[in-house]
Amino acid sequence: MPVGGLLPLFSSPAGGGLGGGLGGGLGGSGGSRKGSGPAAFRLTEKFVLLLVFSAFITLCFGAIFFLPDSSKLLSGVLFHSSPAQQPAADHKPGPGARAEDAAEGRARRREEGAPGDPAASLEDNLARIRENHERALREAKETLQKLPEEIQRDILLEKEKVAQDQLRDKAAPRGLPQVNFVPPIGAEGPEPEDLAIRDKRAKIKEMMKHAWYNYKRYAWGLNELKPISKEGHSSSLFGNIKGATIVDALDTLFIMGMKDEFQDAKSWIEKNLDFNVNAEISVFEVNIRFVGGLLSAYYLSGEEIFRKKAVELGVKLLPAFHTPSGIPWALLNMKSGIGRNWPWASGGSSILAEFGTLHLEFMHLSHLSGNPIFAEKVKNIRAVLNHLEKPQGLYPNYLNPSSGQWGQHHVSVGGLGDSFYEYLLKAWLMSDKTDVEAKKMYFDAVQAIETHLIRKSSGGLTYIAEWKGGLLEHKMGHLTCFAGGMFALGADGAPSSLAQHYLELGAEIARTCHESYNRTYVKLGPEAFRFDGGVEAIATRQNEKYYILRPEVVETYMYMWRLTHDPKYRKWAWEAVEALENHCKVNGGYSGLRDVYLRHESYDDVQQSFFLAETLKYLYLIFSDDDLLPLEHWIFNTEAHLLPILRMDKMAVEVKEK
């Protein structure tokens, strides 16, 4: 039935329609609850009719939502139109999560999106409309159940809390305490004794030089490089902050012994890195790349400029936490301090992989600044999460920062969720294994993930599916491939009966992700691959076939090599090196690919900053001895930036009193 056919139900001579009728009852000055005409309904009757109408619409969209996933059914039957022609791949900046998955509405990490599949886009739009509609009904129902005095009191309490947070942040001390810098353990290591391994490591260093020198030649001071166009590329994730590649590459330059290049980067940061910009940034991306990169550079070199800049940026990010629950906004205007969330994220929710990936950096900011406020902010996030009931023990990807309640019950160990779990484990390890709360949260979450998400294909491949309101989508993202390394890294802290199990689980995930690489033409993996319809570890949708120089697979190889010394992980890593050289290397640097199944390369023309920060660093470490950045002394943040373990008996950096 056309919507216009129902509108007369809500009209009234006085109100002139729905807005007038409700406005007169709720907000009109001196107005009666009834309209002046005989056909007018009382306010309660209007709400009943509105709810009935809303339920009807929800039922319609719900029926569509639960139909089989068929582009022909959706586009041809429901809308009587032929499928749209697939557009040329045109990568767009994604919103942020080892969080930022624009194709899913994903914000994890560092995604430059790919062309959209019309059927998938339609399905996402329908799901988003359905969820927003249900949320609006839920909020209206909750509000109607409250007295006006209660509503006013809630508003005043929320305003008071935000105002107190703002005053406290402004009162935070600006001076930094003096420190005695202690030279880091394992920041530089010897050459490998094996000549073949030494040559392979030298080759990876050459790759770093090719990426760095071309960035310096064509895009110096800008965020990233377009290696085909030979010009700069700036993602909206960073607002007007510049130099993402410079900051992201600092620690990789240092551990590879590229000291002149490191000094060039330091000089640029001293003169040009400015956070006083009137622009909106991704809190998550700026934290993991800029805060993480600066902290790592400080801990490796002891150069005071890096500590100063890291703390300065940390203070700039504090207004993101000015929400009723303390769960930070995803986006923040660096000048005004006004925050908001991605509009597509389940009715304006914050994203698990974004607000859950601040803990490591903010604990170190408190450690280096002597200011506890950074640690308090991330500890409050823990408190909010521990207060909530978890569906089936799982953490949904969305949480409303105003109500402090979950949004859509979608769960993923890939985009939107991934690095939250990683940071639980690493928070425990970074605390010298004293943060028992983080340990418990991690192993409880892993147990739920094993029960509800981890499956084995008919071909024997172990994969991690995605959970949507109790239904599994048998898809695994490239981002999810980090989990193999995570499971293996956490095995030592598991109960003795499960330690070997988690190490083997990590190995199984590593094998599955290797298969996703091996089953493509270029031997590099797609953004996502599926286990349904008779296929295994293969991308079936066009908007999942791209590769943007991601590190997660070689990250798992690195951990598996360090923890097992099984030579296959070096073999698989070298296959990735050869594939990058054969298919991603161009005269102007390294480019991502639009389709890993095509014989002829189609480049996306972006050299991501995380290629230098993560992909090349992990490859270099695989072909290095274990005493270079030993895992018992260092933690990698989700951008592969190095943070030392904070020893309880002897801190790596001793803070003196002023």
Side-chain angles (χ1 to χ4, degrees), residues 463-486:
Y463 63 97
I464 308 176
E466 298 190 1
W467 191 85
K468 297 187 175 181
L471 300 176
L472 282 185
E473 183 177 13
H474 297 275
K475 176 186 78 171
M476 184 169 173
H478 192 292
L479 290 163
T480 319
C481 286
F482 90 97
M486 179 183 73

Side-chain angles (χ1 to χ4, degrees), residues 1 11 22 125 143 241 279 438 551 566:
M1 178 184 295
S11 64
L22 295 182
N125 287 337
T143 302
I241 300 176
D566 187 327

Side-chain angles (χ1 to χ4, degrees), residues 580-597:
L580 287 166
E581 287 291 281
N582 292 334
H583 300 287
C584 297
K585 185 178 182 180
V586 295
N587 289 336
Y590 291 87
S591 172
L593 302 171
R594 297 181 188 274
D595 192 330
V596 292
Y597 298 96

Side-chain angles (χ1 to χ4, degrees), residues 295-601:
L295 288 172
S296 180
Y298 172 73
Y299 281 120
L300 289 170
S301 69
E303 296 284 358
E304 187 64 20
I305 183 63
F306 299 130
R307 180 172 76 119
K308 177 184 175 182
K309 286 289 186 182
V311 176
E312 177 190 345
L313 179 53
V315 171
K316 286 278 189 182
L317 296 179
L318 288 176
F321 293 84
H322 295 164
T323 66
S325 65
I327 298 296
W329 299 112
L331 303 170
L332 178 71
N333 185 289
M334 295 285 279
K335 182 176 182 179
S336 68
I338 296 174
R340 69 181 179 96
N341 278 334
W342 302 106
W344 48 261
S346 185
S349 291
S350 297
I351 294 167
L352 183 68
E354 295 194 334
F355 67 77
T357 309
L358 303 168
H359 195 97
L360 304 185
E361 297 84 0
F362 273 53
M363 294 299 288
H364 272 281
L365 287 175
S366 279
H367 177 60
L368 290 180
S369 68
N371 186 350
I373 193 167
F374 302 105
E376 290 169 2
K377 296 295 187 186
V378 291
K379 287 178 180 178
N380 176 67
I381 293 174
R382 286 258 195 96
V384 172
L385 291 174
N386 282 327
H387 180 71
L388 292 171
E389 183 179 350
K390 287 79 179 176
Q392 305 295 324
L394 298 166
Y395 288 83
N397 293 335
Y398 303 106
L399 197 155
N400 189 297
S402 297
S403 66
Q405 299 298 315
W406 299 120
Q408 281 178 301
H409 283 192
H410 289 185
V411 178
S412 171
V413 183
L416 301 177
D418 50 5
S419 46
F420 164 72
Y421 306 100
E422 173 190 359
Y423 270 40
L424 289 178
L425 172 63
K426 291 181 177 179
W428 173 61
L429 295 173
M430 193 181 77
S431 71
D432 203 16
K433 300 183 179 180
T434 61
D435 187 352
V436 293
E437 179 184 55
K439 179 183 180 182
K440 182 180 187 306
M441 292 173 70
Y442 169 73
F443 282 107
D444 286 350
V446 168
Q447 183 179 9
I449 289 167
E450 272 210 90
T451 301
H452 299 288
L453 303 185
I454 294 182
R455 297 291 183 267
K456 181 163 285 192
S457 71
S458 58
L461 295 178
T462 299
Y463 63 97
I464 308 176
E466 298 190 1
W467 191 85
K468 297 187 175 181
L471 300 176
L472 282 185
E473 183 177 13
H474 297 275
K475 176 186 78 171
M476 184 169 173
H478 192 292
L479 290 163
T480 319
C481 286
F482 90 97
M486 179 183 73
F487 292 141
L489 182 63
D492 186 55
S496 56
S497 60
L498 292 174
Q500 185 62 29
H501 165 71
Y502 284 128
L503 195 61
E504 292 172 355
L505 179 59
E508 290 178 16
I509 297 297
R511 174 174 170 254
T512 297
C513 293
H514 175 258
E515 284 300 311
S516 77
Y517 273 46
N518 202 43
R519 297 179 186 192
T520 70
Y521 177 78
V522 301
K523 305 305 178 186
L524 294 166
E527 180 68 4
F529 44 94
R530 295 183 178 264
F531 294 86
D532 54 22
V535 301
E536 294 190 4
I538 293 174
T540 58
R541 298 183 179 183
Q542 188 59 41
N543 67 342
E544 296 171 347
K545 295 181 179 180
Y546 61 94
Y547 172 73
I548 57 172
L549 308 175
R550 284 205 187 277
E552 290 77 22
V553 173
V554 296
E555 175 184 354
T556 279
Y557 294 167
M558 190 278 291
Y559 282 111
M560 295 307 302
W561 164 253
R562 283 283 181 99
L563 296 168
T564 69
H565 285 174
D566 187 327
K568 72 183 177 188
Y569 297 113
R570 277 184 164 172
K571 176 179 178 292
W572 291 352
W574 189 247
E575 290 173 1
V577 169
E578 292 179 320
L580 287 166
E581 287 291 281
N582 292 334
H583 300 287
C584 297
K585 185 178 182 180
V586 295
N587 289 336
Y590 291 87
S591 172
L593 302 171
R594 297 181 188 274
D595 192 330
V596 292
Y597 298 96
L598 291 180
R599 183 178 297 271
H600 301 290
E601 293 85 359

